[in-house]
Amino acid sequence: MNGIIIINKEAGFTSFDVVAKLRGICGQRKIGHTGTLDPQATGVLPVCLGNAAKLCDMLTDKDKEYVAELLLGVTTDTQDTTGRVLSEKHVECDAGFAVRAETAIMEFVGEYDQIPPMYSAIKVNGRRLYELAREGKEVERKARRVTIGEIEILDMQPPVIRLRIVCSKGTYIRTLCADIGERIGCGGVMKSLVRTRVGRFKLEDALTLSQVQRLKEAGEFEASLIPVDSMFPECPLLHVQTAWKKLTDNGNAFLPIHTVEKKTFRDGEWVRVYSEDGSFVGIYAYDSERLWYKPVKLFM
């Protein structure tokens, strides 16, 4: 089976747990997810099956949307409520609190340098940071530039503030919550997190693992998969003539005259390439210097 399924990850599961359970449901090994969600977090987790697994690196680049609850007045070693409490501070909810809090929150819109948390899967000298953290070790981490596209305050009932956040890949919402709490001056941790969107994939289109199981039992699972080629709707189409199918079968470049359309495009422009019978081959890019199409990613 080849295609993408959008999972609504439930709390308590790691992203790898989801993949393992889907392997059991589907009976196939080649499955990959497109961006880790913490066990505490819920929401959208696109999962790629079969040749769609080649999409994983492409989908992780998409922007993401979250709804997070920020709990003020507490800091922990994990930057969420599951960790060991490091400090507690009374939150001064005076008349000017809402203005101060909103000002501090909105200062994070745009690019900022974020230091990844110790409890993360990033590797330093061959070791995962969370492995070192569990051993009581803390190492220096390089800040990474992330982009916060939008922050909307959905509700403010101190000490909890509910936020909608749109951000770039690689953003740790736990760390953003901790940084906001520090900016406000009382500390903060992430109380809850729901990922509501990854690129075009939305929470309302996602399925729980139990729903997937029912689809499989009803023989409807494969029909529910999102086709790989639908991920590239903006790319123009080309069909390679059957006589030249051996070129794409071997992952080789081909000339415009080898296609049904015989078209050329701008240098570097991606095109969706199909066999003459309509089966999807992959993504190619036009090379205006060599006057041919060269492969970018094949999905055969």
Side-chain angles (χ1 to χ4, degrees), residues 6-219:
I6 313 307
I7 297 298
N8 181 359
K9 192 189 84 65
E10 299 161 77
F13 289 104
T14 68
S15 300
F16 295 106
D17 289 338
V18 171
V19 169
K21 288 183 178 295
L22 279 174
R23 283 176 178 149
I25 293 170
C26 304
Q28 71 178 52
R29 295 289 303 167
K30 197 172 182 181
I31 300 178
H33 67 78
T34 61
T36 303
L37 268 177
D38 291 341
Q40 179 192 11
T42 65
V44 175
L45 181 67
V47 178
C48 300
L49 287 76
N51 62 25
K54 297 178 181 179
L55 277 172
C56 287
D57 58 339
M58 293 181 167
L59 295 181
T60 54
D61 287 341
K62 303 298 183 183
D63 68 324
K64 299 172 177 66
E65 181 182 81
Y66 298 88
V67 171
E69 285 185 320
L70 163 61
L71 173 63
L72 296 172
V74 182
T75 65
T76 69
D77 58 354
T78 59
Q79 300 180 331
D80 61 22
T81 54
T82 67
R84 178 172 56 90
V85 174
L86 301 177
S87 68
E88 292 184 89
K89 186 175 181 179
H90 176 68
V91 180
E92 292 289 345
C93 299
D94 55 26
F97 173 81
V99 174
R100 292 198 308 274
E102 182 175 0
T103 300
I105 289 167
M106 293 307 168
E107 286 175 352
F108 284 90
V109 176
E111 293 186 339
Y112 95 101
D113 292 325
Q114 187 181 74
I115 298 176
M118 277 300 301
Y119 281 89
S120 65
I122 294 171
K123 282 188 176 182
V124 174
N125 298 325
R127 297 285 306 280
R128 300 282 186 188
L129 285 177
Y130 65 76
E131 294 173 344
L132 297 171
R134 287 169 183 167
E135 295 172 4
K137 300 175 182 176
E138 184 163 354
V139 297
E140 184 177 353
R141 288 97 67 201
K142 291 183 178 178
R144 304 192 302 180
R145 180 60 58 93
V146 299
T147 302
I148 309 300
E150 298 177 43
I151 301 182
E152 179 185 0
I153 299 173
L154 300 176
D155 188 39
M156 189 181 296
Q157 298 289 333
V160 176
I161 302 177
R162 192 161 169 262
L163 304 169
R164 183 183 68 85
I165 301 159
V166 178
C167 59
S168 64
K169 71 169 185 175
T171 303
Y172 285 91
I173 303 300
R174 283 180 288 136
T175 302
L176 176 62
C177 287
D179 291 343
I180 290 173
E182 183 178 359
R183 184 72 59 89
I184 292 173
C186 57
V189 294
M190 187 183 77
K191 183 181 178 184
S192 69
L193 183 67
V194 180
R195 187 154 69 189
T196 54
R197 182 176 61 80
V198 174
R200 62 177 249 190
F201 303 128
K202 298 180 180 179
L203 184 58
E204 52 263 37
D205 302 321
L207 300 169
T208 63
L209 287 171
S210 59
Q211 288 174 318
V212 172
Q213 179 70 56
R214 288 195 292 272
L215 286 172
K216 186 66 167 61
E217 291 169 354

